[in-house]
Amino acid sequence: MNTQLKANLMLLIVTLFWGSSYLFMKMGLTNVQEFNLIALRFGLAFIVSGLVFHRRLIHADFKTVKYAFWQGTILFLVFASITFGVKTTSASNAGFLVSLTVVFVPLLLAVFFRKMPDNRVILGVVLALTGIDFLTLKNQFIISSGDFLCILGALAYALHIIVTGKLTKDVDSIALGVLQLGFAGAWGLLFSAFLEQPQLPSTTEGWISVLGLSIFCSAIGFVVQTTAQKYTTPTHTGLLFSLEPVFAALLAFVFAGERLTLQGYAGAGLVLLSVLAAQIDIKKLLRKLGFHKSSAESQTNSIAG
């Protein structure tokens, strides 16, 4: 098995973990409150990953800590939106709506750098908006608060990805990634202390949720992603991550009995298609296929001649 294939398999496992996070959040919210769940998730993730990479944390400089503070703050806003959103929408809906991050990234880059987005991004936006309509608008033309918060979370996550790309260039990326988990957890604890009653889970289901979110979805997920992406291409990474909502819907169906309506499945398909459209350069793919075709034809003609 070559290195790239191993990296792709690692990213596929990470995508499965992230797809399970919506179900874990649903489970956890029956036992603890929203900010409390965020504090536990990222606090434990910080402790676990900090123990593994303690030497890097010891040598982290002020710039790394400062960058981690801003990253952790944005990460907290991302998961505050998603966690509150999951409470009032289905895990399936949440998975597909949060996957719009892939569409939002090139859109935000176009806004920040005043550059017209590619045609594939425009196509992705049109497909995404149509899919959101199918997924979220029922009998009335009103989007639910949970669905809106998940879309807001996807937008914030797109901002987090862009900021991460800028901040990781001249600092230790692993130390930065671990510290951001600590700051996200600290924000969760602060808000929980003022607005909720912080507590530990009191049931087995609650602990499974917290440990699943903190160890598999956060500590392992972020570290493995950082490592694996060094050995594969951005295109492969984007395509593998686009499977996250599929895993979310499948796990929600198997373990929670969630089912989408026919309209919902159509919307989910369009959202997934929008993610793929934003990732794949169709013109480049067609040129490549055309090249192979013409090469095959020339070889056939030369043999016939």
Side-chain angles (χ1 to χ4, degrees), residues 196-264:
E196 301 171 345
Q197 294 181 341
Q199 62 180 30
L200 293 173
S202 58
T203 64
T204 302
E205 185 180 80
W207 275 112
I208 290 173
S209 165
V210 168
L211 292 175
L213 287 169
S214 58
I215 296 174
F216 294 106
C217 302
S218 300
I220 294 177
F222 282 110
V223 172
V224 170
Q225 178 202 1
T226 305
T227 306
Q229 277 194 245
K230 293 180 181 179
Y231 304 103
T232 189
T233 64
T235 303
H236 282 197
T237 302
L239 291 173
L240 287 167
F241 283 172
S242 69
L243 292 172
E244 180 182 328
V246 178
F247 286 135
L250 181 63
L251 292 170
F253 172 75
V254 173
F255 293 103
E258 284 189 8
R259 288 175 175 80
L260 295 173
T261 62
L262 185 60
Q263 177 181 313

Side-chain angles (χ1 to χ4, degrees), residues 116-220:
M116 186 68 181
D118 294 337
N119 289 334
R120 58 177 172 165
V121 176
I122 296 172
L123 174 62
V125 170
V126 172
L127 290 170
L129 290 174
T130 308
I132 289 171
D133 283 348
F134 276 69
L135 260 178
T136 62
L137 302 181
K138 309 303 179 185
N139 297 326
Q140 298 177 332
F141 290 94
I142 301 172
I143 189 169
S144 74
S145 59
D147 290 331
F148 174 77
L149 285 170
C150 287
I151 295 171
L152 192 64
L155 187 61
Y157 201 18
L159 180 63
H160 180 270
I161 290 171
I162 294 170
V163 170
T164 300
K166 296 294 181 183
L167 298 185
T168 53
K169 290 182 178 179
D170 54 353
V171 296
D172 183 344
S173 59
I174 292 182
L176 182 68
V178 173
L179 287 169
Q180 75 165 343
L181 298 176
F183 282 116
W187 277 118
L189 182 60
L190 183 65
F191 273 80
S192 183
F194 279 99
L195 301 175
E196 301 171 345
Q197 294 181 341
Q199 62 180 30
L200 293 173
S202 58
T203 64
T204 302
E205 185 180 80
W207 275 112
I208 290 173
S209 165
V210 168
L211 292 175
L213 287 169
S214 58
I215 296 174
F216 294 106
C217 302
S218 300
I220 294 177

